[in-house]
Amino acid sequence: MQKTELKPSYYDQFACIGGACEDTCCAGWRIDIDKKSYQKYKNEKNLAIKDVLKKNIQRNRQGQTDLQYGKFKLDTDEKCTMLDEENLCTIQKTLGEKALCHTCTVYPRQNIQINQTFEKSLDTSCPEAARLILLNKEGIDFIEDEAIQHTSYIEHVEKTEIEYQYFWDNRIFFISALQHRKHSIETRLLVIGLYIKKIENLSIKERMKQSSYLSTHYLDLLNQLEEDELLATFQTYPLIQTKLAHYFLKEFNTDSAYFKEIATSAFNSIDLLEDIIAFSEFINTYKKDYQNNSDIQIILENYLVNLVFTKYFESEAKTNIHFFSYLVIHFSLLRLLIIGNINHIDMNSQSLVKIVQKFTKACSHSSIYFDEAVNILSEKEFSIASQAIHLLKI
Ligand code: SF4
């Protein structure tokens, strides 16, 4: 059967800018080594590199898959120890590009095969990829074509025909709803949440049968609703917002100096554990600036659409409710970072791309912050979908 390729329209424009990169992927976070490369590096015979390689790699005992089998050691500046004094990769220089491990070969690309389709996307933790993803004024669009070639690093997900249709119905609905610009992002997410609550109440068989009809119904709802009419019927929950803000901005530990700086400066005059009123007043003061800034709205939309395209297939197995919480928590944390800093950072497209890129890089390799955010939400008596919905209104 002929294979197809699905990718965002900007995908082929990506090219690493190497030395001109303001936040190289060879520093500032854990760099995973897949099992095959790790073993190859351990047994390397080339005298020019074998000792350096052995010294600078280590096992990653916390790794959950073979792709996270090992990691490169970092120096005191958090740089990969395989970089030379000119910041060039000694593995690539000595052994050639083919010797690079999975992470260094594909990053910031994600290539997966779902049934007969190769899906290609980019990650917002790379500054150059983040510009391509986030600065699409008209919204992200996708190209489907015959597949010509594909890399050998493709993860393969196989679904039955009916599961595949269900996956497509849901993902197309999520993306169409997120790009429905008549409404605020909050309302778009709210309607996705209502659809998910509805569908998860059905038996698995009924979900598959009704997803196409229900997703059309909820898109019609977005068409028919007056701007933010639905959101107005929901309450705000400042207590959950302040707890989340306190954990994420004041307690979450990361090595990223810029992330620490913007997290510290957000809501810096407010005691987030004690003063909920001051927090609510702050949000009310700057809410309009956040809502009326079209750069913020477009960048958040593109961020979420990219998250759906790249992550939905992974989370789907753990239910749509889990994915919805994942989406809303990422959105809420990013919104807190932006609103918390709106009175002292000029929120233009360049600074916003930087905030999203640093947020992704500081958080995407850490499962802790997401799990902790879920724990904070779980303290409340609502169901998990309701908890995520209650985070939306500010
Ligand atoms: S972060 Fe992106 S642009 Fe920067 S060095 Fe890595 S791949 Fe290249």
Side-chain angles (χ1 to χ4, degrees), residues 25-32 55-58 71-83 255:
C25 49
C26 304
W29 57 359
R30 190 188 75 222
I31 304 166
D32 293 327
K55 201 172 93 202
N56 290 321
I57 62 174
Q58 63 189 135
K71 58 186 179 181
F72 289 107
K73 289 184 187 166
L74 303 180
D75 67 14
T76 47
D77 294 328
E78 295 290 315
K79 267 175 30 187
C80 176
T81 42
M82 294 309 297
L83 290 178
D255 294 323

Side-chain angles (χ1 to χ4, degrees), residues 11 16 34 37 48 69 91 93 129 169 176 198 276 369 373 379:
Y11 179 86
C16 171
D34 58 286
S37 303
Y69 189 81
I91 299 179
K93 227 168 73 173
D169 287 343
S176 307
K198 179 87 182 170
I276 298 176
Y369 89 99
E379 288 171 18

Side-chain angles (χ1 to χ4, degrees), residues 369-387:
Y369 89 99
F370 177 70
D371 292 345
E372 190 50 38
V374 170
N375 287 341
I376 290 170
L377 297 186
S378 306
E379 288 171 18
K380 285 279 151 203
E381 68 275 22
F382 313 113
S383 72
I384 184 146
S386 304
Q387 288 155 13

Side-chain angles (χ1 to χ4, degrees), residues 70-301:
K71 58 186 179 181
F72 289 107
K73 289 184 187 166
L74 303 180
D75 67 14
T76 47
D77 294 328
E78 295 290 315
K79 267 175 30 187
C80 176
T81 42
M82 294 309 297
L83 290 178
D84 68 10
E85 53 293 341
E86 288 162 355
N87 278 339
L88 296 172
C89 172
T90 43
I91 299 179
Q92 183 164 4
K93 227 168 73 173
T94 317
L95 302 172
E97 203 174 333
K98 285 213 162 71
L100 293 176
C101 65
H102 171 76
T103 303
C104 300
T105 302
V106 299
Y107 181 83
R109 300 171 187 86
Q110 175 178 283
N111 300 321
I112 57 158
Q113 182 182 347
I114 305 181
N115 289 14
Q116 298 303 310
T117 306
F118 296 119
E119 299 203 350
K120 298 177 164 184
S121 57
L122 299 174
D123 191 273
T124 47
S125 55
C126 157
E128 190 59 8
R131 284 185 275 275
L132 285 171
I133 296 163
L134 302 172
L135 296 178
N136 281 282
K137 285 239 178 291
E138 306 305 322
I140 296 176
D141 58 353
F142 297 89
I143 301 171
E144 194 171 11
D145 216 341
E146 275 180 19
I148 302 162
Q149 57 177 31
H150 58 92
T151 77
S152 55
Y153 289 112
I154 281 182
E155 193 180 330
H156 194 156
V157 178
E158 200 58 45
K159 294 175 186 290
T160 63
E161 206 177 311
I162 193 159
E163 285 169 349
Y164 191 58
Q165 189 56 48
Y166 179 61
F167 160 76
W168 263 96
D169 287 343
N170 285 339
R171 193 169 62 170
I172 286 178
F173 167 66
F174 298 160
I175 292 177
S176 307
L178 284 171
Q179 293 182 325
H180 203 293
R181 291 193 177 173
K182 176 180 169 189
H183 298 281
S184 65
I185 310 255
E186 284 79 358
T187 296
R188 302 177 217 173
L189 282 165
L190 189 53
V191 170
I192 293 175
L194 295 178
Y195 164 80
I196 286 174
K197 273 184 91 172
K198 179 87 182 170
I199 209 130
E200 294 280 325
N201 278 332
L202 301 173
S203 67
I204 293 184
K205 209 170 148 199
E206 279 303 306
R207 283 176 209 174
M208 312 261 171
K209 263 198 208 159
Q210 292 198 34
S211 58
S212 173
Y213 159 76
L214 282 174
S215 56
T216 308
H217 169 77
Y218 278 88
L219 272 184
D220 284 346
L221 181 68
L222 273 171
N223 287 329
Q224 286 155 15
L225 282 168
E226 292 300 319
E227 192 184 341
D228 290 339
E229 176 190 348
L230 185 63
L231 196 65
T233 64
F234 280 75
Q235 266 183 280
T236 56
Y237 286 87
L239 179 64
I240 312 182
Q241 300 282 353
T242 46
K243 279 191 174 178
L244 204 59
H246 183 265
Y247 163 69
F248 173 64
L249 300 171
K250 310 302 171 196
E251 287 184 340
F252 177 62
N253 199 11
T254 161
D255 294 323
S256 165
Y258 183 78
F259 184 85
K260 275 185 199 153
E261 188 189 316
I262 54 173
T264 310
S265 59
F267 305 105
N268 58 352
S269 58
I270 300 169
D271 181 343
L272 290 169
L273 282 184
E274 299 291 335
D275 205 345
I276 298 176
I277 293 174
F279 175 81
S280 298
E281 279 171 2
F282 186 100
I283 296 282
N284 284 331
T285 307
Y286 294 105
K287 198 159 78 178
K288 281 269 169 278
D289 292 342
Y290 156 79
Q291 288 165 338
N292 295 336
N293 182 324
S294 60
D295 285 332
I296 296 179
Q297 301 304 315
I298 289 169
I299 281 172
L300 284 175
E301 173 194 304

